[in-house]
Amino acid sequence: MNAPRLADVLGDADVIHDRAALEAAIDTMADAIHDDYADDERPPLFVTIMHGGMPFAAQLAFALGERGLDVEFDYLHATRYRGNISGSGLAWLHRPATPMTGRRVLLVDDILDEGHTLKAVGRWCEDQGAAEVRVAVLAVKVHDRCVDGVCANYVGVEVPDRYVFGYGMDFHEQGRNLPAIYALAE
Ligand SMILES: O=P(O)(O)OC[C@H]1O[C@H](OP(=O)(O)OP(=O)(O)O)[C@H](O)[C@@H]1O
Ligand SMILES: Nc1nc2[nH]cnc2c(=O)[nH]1
């Protein structure tokens, strides 16, 4: 079966946060992250969660660089939605190669929804010996279904309890490069 097409849903979708609002939110996050890591001897290990985290991570990394905070890059790919609009079991497609022992790890992702992804990834980093795991997400979805004990240390914006896409997030693997966050019409 062919995947639904972005062009068929975009016209009826609602813009939830436009580019200017997201850029302002990322700058605010960068201020807080800079303040929390600026005194460390070693840069944090900045781990982008692919694919969705990529545009946000790039922009956040530049904002941190602008503020004088260096970061060391790595990435991982864990997916539980796999192009669908509801989640299932988490599949690891790539694990970070950088040793985490004793490191402060900053996980960077597009969205915290039910929290299964960040729970599993955070636990894995701790098992690798990370001294600390913090989480930066561009968006948090507002509902009461998040798994216990999962929260983000740095949050850009809130989104409603609807399927959202754009700014890294996909609609059936389309629309990740839209420079705003949209919600699918209900
Ligand atoms: O809080 P959760 O309910 O676990 O959902 C959040 C995760 O879902 C999305 O990833 P997805 O599995 O769609 O992979 P992708 O980034 O490659 O699109 C998103 O990038 C988060 O990592
Ligand atoms: N694209 C997208 N990915 C998600 N992963 C978890 N929730 C969402 C969502 O609302 N949109």
Side-chain angles (χ1 to χ4, degrees):
M1 202 182 77
N2 290 336
R5 292 188 324 156
L6 178 67
D8 293 336
V9 300
L10 192 54
D12 291 329
D14 299 307
V15 175
I16 304 295
H17 298 287
D18 66 15
R19 185 177 196 161
L22 293 169
E23 286 178 356
I26 292 170
D27 276 341
T28 303
M29 294 174 83
D31 287 336
I33 295 170
H34 168 268
D35 290 352
D36 287 350
Y37 291 90
D39 293 336
D40 289 5
E41 272 182 31
R42 219 172 157 189
L45 185 58
F46 182 99
V47 179
T48 303
I49 303 185
M50 299 293 277
H51 295 306
M54 182 172 55
F56 164 55
Q59 206 168 335
L60 179 63
F62 283 137
L64 293 173
E66 210 168 37
R67 286 160 178 74
L69 180 72
D70 189 29
V71 298
E72 182 176 345
F73 277 3
D74 205 333
Y75 73 99
L76 64 85
H77 195 180
T79 175
R80 78 183 198 97
Y81 287 78
R82 287 178 245 186
N84 295 313
I85 64 171
S86 62
S88 55
L90 188 74
W92 279 87
L93 305 183
H94 177 88
R95 293 181 197 263
T98 311
M100 292 191 172
T101 312
R103 299 295 301 271
R104 294 186 81 186
V105 173
L106 181 63
L107 294 171
V108 183
D109 205 356
D110 50 359
I111 186 164
L112 170 58
D113 187 339
E114 295 180 0
H116 299 286
T117 306
L118 283 169
K119 182 174 184 177
V121 168
R123 196 167 275 172
W124 184 83
C125 295
E126 284 162 7
D127 289 347
Q128 299 306 300
E132 177 197 73
V133 181
R134 290 193 181 203
V135 172
V137 290
L138 178 61
V140 167
K141 196 177 282 188
V142 179
H143 55 57
D144 59 9
R145 299 187 305 281
C146 194
V147 291
D148 277 352
V150 175
C151 62
N153 304 86
Y154 310 99
V155 174
V157 295
E158 292 185 343
V159 295
D161 191 11
R162 293 163 61 181
Y163 193 78
V164 294
F165 60 92
Y167 230 92
M169 292 173 275
D170 72 305
F171 173 74
H172 295 277
E173 294 302 335
Q174 305 158 81
R176 290 190 194 272
N177 58 330
L178 289 167
I181 297 180
Y182 295 78
L184 209 53
E186 290 181 316

